Every structure is written in structure tokens, then in C-alpha cells.
Amino acid sequence: MIRLGIIGTGRIARRFVPEALCVEGLTVTAVYNPHKGSAERFVQAVCREMEVLGTDDPDAFWDLVDAVYIASPHETHADYIQKSLDRNKHVLCEKPLALKRADAEACFFYAKEKGFVLMEGIKTAYCPGYRKVLELVGSGMIGEIRYIDSCFTKLEKAENRELTDIKYGGSFTELGSYVMLPIFDLVDGSGDPAFSSVYDGKGIDLFTRVSIGGAGYIASAECGLGVKSEGRLLIGGTKGFIKVGAPWWKTSRIEVHFEDESKTLHFDEPFEGDGLRYEIAAFTDLIRYGKSDVADSRSKERSIWMAALMEQFLTGREADRQQTSVRGGR
């Protein structure tokens, strides 16, 4: 039985606990938050009738776990990954795994050196419906991929961290990993990304679009926390297109369209609970079968690529703020 510890006590950690209970071979044994009392309150509220330690003592936490799930604020992920590997623990880290390319590369290098699993938790990547989409594209059914458009928006409460954290909050750091996922998986994301955003008065992006033009394809990804749009995924090919309706990141209903609409195909795939169980099961399997590697041959490269995108976006956003500040001071 794998003893799993949770670092962080926010909303995603609350959803994680019941999803972990659906995966065989794993049990939650400890929760850590450096802020005194936070982990204890989390355990009382979420881990009822479970023998789980809530603590702000890192040594007590490490002694009770074989693996960790990192659900702390984005900017702390890389540091907690390093500390977890120092303690010889397998690591499942919430997206984004890192906010800089060099940090992601260092984390994966260290995981390989130590011989422990490091995996980024992007639940959509492991759900049956999304895997079906990759299978359909790989079959050649819609021909060569020439266009991808993915969108994920939700209206976040103004008082939540995502819209109050000036440095690390905003739409792209929160949702960008999802919308960029199919672009990497289907066309490698090989191209120079162009970002455009709608900002609030604090300089936090309420809506961001990323456009990438690569060798023979055009891709667009949109994400928003303060602007609502249709959360679909559209994959256009030379023989047809695939459409996954909103919310596409909970992939279940898949349509394959052709020039002759009478040949349209429909596929229904399961998406159980909150979907986190799929990534947890993939993580558990890696540990169980002794693979000191990431979940598949490309997921390491995908995580590094996404960290580089985060770095580029944050650098550009700060530059936009500086320009706005200069104009406002004139």
C-alpha cells in the first residue's frame, strides 16, 4: 500500500482526497501546510473517519509518506519537488509543475538521478475521453492536423487567489496547462507563441489567447477567469475535424465530422467523479511497477515545454505592466 501525503490544503486538495479513495493500492496518511492549524482543519473537514495526520511539522509529515501530491501555490511547486525528492519520495505535482524552464529541467534531472517518479498532474491528459481523441487523430481518420482551437474559461470569484495574486495569479497560470495540452500532444507546439490578454485594473489577465503557427499548422488556445466563452476543443484536419463540446477538458462526448455530414461519428467515453482519479491511478501504476520515470515517453518534454511557456508569459505580462505604469505616470 502506497502511503500518500498531501502538501497544500486549498480547493484542489479538497477534491483530491475523495478521488484518491477510488484508486486501489494507495491511502492518504498525512497532510502538510506550513501555516499552523491549516492542515489540522483540513483533516477535520475533509478526511473524516480516516487516520490522517494534519501537521505543520515537515519531519512528522515525511515520516508517514512514501509519495506526495503537491497542491500548494504555483510558485512553490519546484521547491517542494526538490524537497520531496531529497526525502526519497515519489512526486505527483499539480500543474503547472514549474514556472521556469530551467526549474522544470532541474526537477526532472534530479528525479532521474534519485530514481523516483515525478509526474505533472494534468487530469485531462489521463482521462479515457482525451486518450480516445489522441487515438482517433493517430488513426489518420481526419488526415493531417492543420488547425487546433482549445478554450477553457470559468468565472472565478474576485476574492479568490487566482484573481488577487498579482505576481502568479491570472488566467494563463491557472488554466494554460489545459488549453496548451492538445497543441503539444498533437503538433508538438513547435512554433513561436504570441500572447494577448485582457487585464483587470491590477494587471491580472482575465482572459488570455495564445497563438502558435508551426510547420503546416495554426493553433489557438484561450483561457479566462473573468470572461466566459465556449469551452470546446476543435481539431481540424485534411480529411475532417474532431469536436469535443464544452467542457472539453472533461472529455466524454466526441464528434468526428467529414465533408459528408451523413458520415459523422459519435463516441461516448467515461469521465468519473472529478477526473483526478485517472492521473492518480497513472501515478500509482508507475510506482507499483517500479518505473522511475514520468507517465509516458513525452510527458517530461511536455512539462518542460509548458514551464517555458509560463516563463515567457509571465515575463511578457510584467513588461506590459511596466509599460502601462510608464504611460500612466506621464
Side-chain angles (χ1 to χ4, degrees), residues 268-283:
D268 291 294
E269 298 292 329
F271 185 90
E272 298 179 355
D274 197 51
L276 291 166
R277 63 191 65 184
Y278 302 116
E279 69 179 47
I280 300 169
F283 177 63

Side-chain angles (χ1 to χ4, degrees), residues 17-182:
V17 172
E19 291 288 298
L21 294 175
C22 298
V23 178
E24 293 184 2
L26 176 146
T27 183
V28 176
T29 53
V31 177
Y32 170 76
N33 189 310
H35 300 289
K36 190 171 182 62
S38 293
E40 291 89 337
R41 291 191 294 272
F42 178 91
V43 168
Q44 292 172 2
V46 180
C47 306
R48 303 185 195 91
E49 301 179 6
M50 298 170 61
E51 294 185 7
V52 179
L53 172 70
T55 183
D56 57 6
D57 179 354
D59 291 325
F61 173 78
W62 296 121
D63 287 344
L64 288 177
V65 305
D66 306 306
V68 299
Y69 168 61
I70 298 174
S72 56
H74 302 327
E75 68 275 15
T76 66
H77 288 180
D79 184 54
Y80 276 130
I81 290 171
Q82 295 279 350
K83 289 178 178 177
S84 300
L85 293 170
D86 281 341
R87 296 292 190 122
N88 298 322
K89 311 302 178 184
H90 301 286
V91 181
L92 172 62
C93 182
E94 259 304 325
K95 50 77 188 167
L97 182 139
L99 297 174
K100 293 183 178 180
R101 181 187 183 95
D103 288 343
E105 290 175 332
C107 287
F108 280 108
F109 177 84
Y110 194 35
K112 184 176 182 179
E113 185 179 65
K114 295 282 288 186
F116 286 88
V117 173
L118 171 58
M119 177 177 146
E120 184 172 18
I122 305 177
K123 67 181 182 183
T124 301
Y126 303 99
C127 75
Y130 183 73
R131 307 305 291 184
K132 183 66 174 180
V133 169
L134 298 185
E135 176 189 322
L136 292 170
V137 171
S139 73
M141 183 180 293
I142 64 168
E144 297 295 321
I145 304 305
R146 295 290 181 253
Y147 175 64
I148 299 173
D149 185 15
S150 63
C151 180
F152 185 167
T153 65
K154 61 177 182 177
L155 298 180
E156 195 62 69
K157 294 180 180 178
E159 65 271 19
N160 284 349
R161 172 192 56 79
E162 294 87 342
L163 293 179
T164 57
D165 185 342
I166 302 297
K167 192 169 184 179
Y168 299 110
S171 298
F172 192 71
T173 54
E174 187 65 22
L175 303 177
S177 299
Y178 288 110
V179 295
M180 301 306 294
L181 174 68

